[in-house]
Amino acid sequence: MINLSLRELQVFIELAETLNFRRAAARVHLSQSAVSGVIGRLEETLGARLFARNTRSVQLTDAGQALLSHARILRAQAEAAASAVRDVVELREGRVRIAALPSLAATVVPPVFARFMAAHPGVQLGVVDSLSGASFDLVRAGQVDFALTAENPAYADLAYETLASDPLVLLLPADHALAARRGPLRWAEVAGLPHISMPAPTSVRQYAEAALLSLGQRFAPRFEVEHLATINAMVAAGLGVSVLPALAAQVALGGPVVLRRLTAPDVQRPIGQVLRQERALSTAASAVAQALRAELLRQLGQTAARPRRRAAQAPRA
């Protein structure tokens, strides 16, 4: 039985491709004499000359040419086997850490993590609930595998793929006159109401300003607060209404407060996945990313979005 090691085949392939002992030795990190020794042992094992060589040139023999095609197949099969093993190991013992907007960390992430941990208990999961800019920074620094957030054109060096659109809704007191309406509300109908809004730098605020600007009106909220719980409590107390993305509104909603979709114009917050361009996801991270995408689309009642790059602002909710 002939016993050929993958290491010996790799040395043979490199020499066959370079036809130069010095370059082949550099590729496999061996000395030229060591490469010569490996080739000599292969020729002795196979009982055939693999290379015709003299002081000026190295050429494959017919026997060497026959071995080369099979050696390449064996190398590819070995690499595929190693990759399959890595995939299994990563789903048993891997580690995945993500960043997500607080509204996504509170709605989309928990059910996905719960299902994934039940199926793959050996994989360690972690989440950082952070604003969009901070999420991009975490991806860039390699502190998370990827981020689930809204797009920010200030980070053009990172890869961003749009996954879904998060429509804007209005929170209003349950006893408000407009709460009796079951269908969507038009921006023109709510423009004159007292609003409770997030601060000016946030994209939620920018979306509201843009929507009203398209109607020739200026957005001037009565209150500016940063936390969703505060917004909900103020709306419930009858201090005003509030515009939020639908997923953020799910987190905020509680007590005598109702939601109504806003239309005319139909403004939506794009949500996507952020990656470092030069780094592929591990098997475990890729599985988590796919599950998060499916859950995001399910919660928003959408089908898969067509991949798109760059074009949104950075939200805080």
Side-chain angles (χ1 to χ4, degrees):
M1 179 178 178
I2 296 177
N3 185 17
L4 302 178
S5 72
L6 289 174
R7 181 60 170 169
E8 289 174 331
L9 291 177
Q10 182 63 31
V11 171
F12 166 75
I13 290 171
E14 295 298 342
L15 182 57
E17 291 180 346
T18 62
L19 297 177
N20 183 287
F21 276 88
R22 180 179 55 80
R23 288 199 294 271
R27 287 188 179 186
V28 295
H29 307 290
L30 293 174
S31 65
Q32 293 185 48
S33 60
V35 169
S36 181
V38 169
I39 299 302
R41 287 192 296 274
L42 272 176
E43 291 178 330
E44 183 178 349
T45 299
L46 295 171
R49 295 278 291 178
L50 301 176
F51 295 93
R53 47 197 183 270
N54 55 42
T55 57
R56 290 184 298 177
S57 68
V58 177
Q59 298 294 327
L60 272 173
T61 64
D62 290 343
Q65 191 66 53
L67 177 61
L68 180 59
S69 60
H70 291 286
R72 284 170 171 162
I73 293 173
L74 290 172
R75 180 177 64 177
Q77 290 175 338
E79 291 174 348
S83 177
V85 171
R86 285 195 299 271
D87 289 349
V88 172
V89 170
E90 287 176 354
L91 283 173
R92 289 180 179 173
E93 303 175 358
R95 177 177 298 177
V96 181
R97 182 174 170 84
I98 72 167
L101 290 174
S103 56
L104 302 178
T107 55
V108 176
V109 174
V112 170
F113 273 24
R115 292 193 296 266
F116 196 89
M117 291 177 69
H120 308 286
V123 177
Q124 299 180 37
L125 301 179
V127 59
V128 180
D129 52 347
S130 60
L131 307 183
S132 181
S135 294
F136 276 83
D137 288 335
L138 289 169
V139 173
R140 177 184 281 166
Q143 296 180 30
V144 296
D145 293 284
F146 64 92
L148 199 62
T149 186
E151 190 166 6
N152 190 333
Y155 294 84
D157 60 312
L158 299 176
Y160 179 92
E161 179 185 355
T162 299
L163 303 180
S165 297
D166 194 0
L168 296 193
V169 299
L170 187 74
L171 276 68
L172 65 164
D175 58 359
H176 194 283
L178 290 176
R181 297 257 300 274
R182 296 300 179 186
L185 299 174
R186 299 169 63 87
W187 281 89
E189 296 177 283
V190 305
L193 300 177
H195 279 257
I196 303 161
S197 174
M198 288 188 164
T202 63
S203 67
V204 176
R205 172 69 170 270
Q206 293 170 5
Y207 293 146
E209 291 175 345
L212 291 180
L213 184 62
S214 70
L215 302 176
Q217 300 190 48
R218 177 174 172 270
F219 185 55
R222 175 180 291 178
F223 298 101
E224 293 185 1
V225 296
E226 293 192 1
H227 299 289
L228 296 174
T230 306
I231 289 176
N232 183 81
M234 296 181 76
V235 172
L239 294 173
V241 300
S242 183
V243 175
L244 289 175
L247 290 176
Q250 289 182 31
V251 179
L253 191 62
V257 174
V258 298
L259 301 181
R260 295 293 181 265
R261 176 75 179 272
L262 287 169
T263 61
D266 182 14
V267 181
Q268 303 197 27
R269 173 181 71 167
I271 298 295
Q273 178 179 276
V274 183
L275 300 168
R276 282 197 289 173
Q277 297 197 36
E278 76 283 2
R279 181 178 179 181
L281 291 178
S282 69
T283 301
S286 180
V288 171
Q290 292 177 16
L292 286 169
R293 176 175 187 160
E295 181 65 20
L296 174 64
L297 293 171
R298 187 193 69 79
Q299 291 196 19
L300 290 172
Q302 299 174 12
T303 56
R306 182 176 299 174
R308 184 180 61 80
R309 290 185 179 273
R310 314 252 90 77
Q313 306 273 335
R316 297 178 59 115

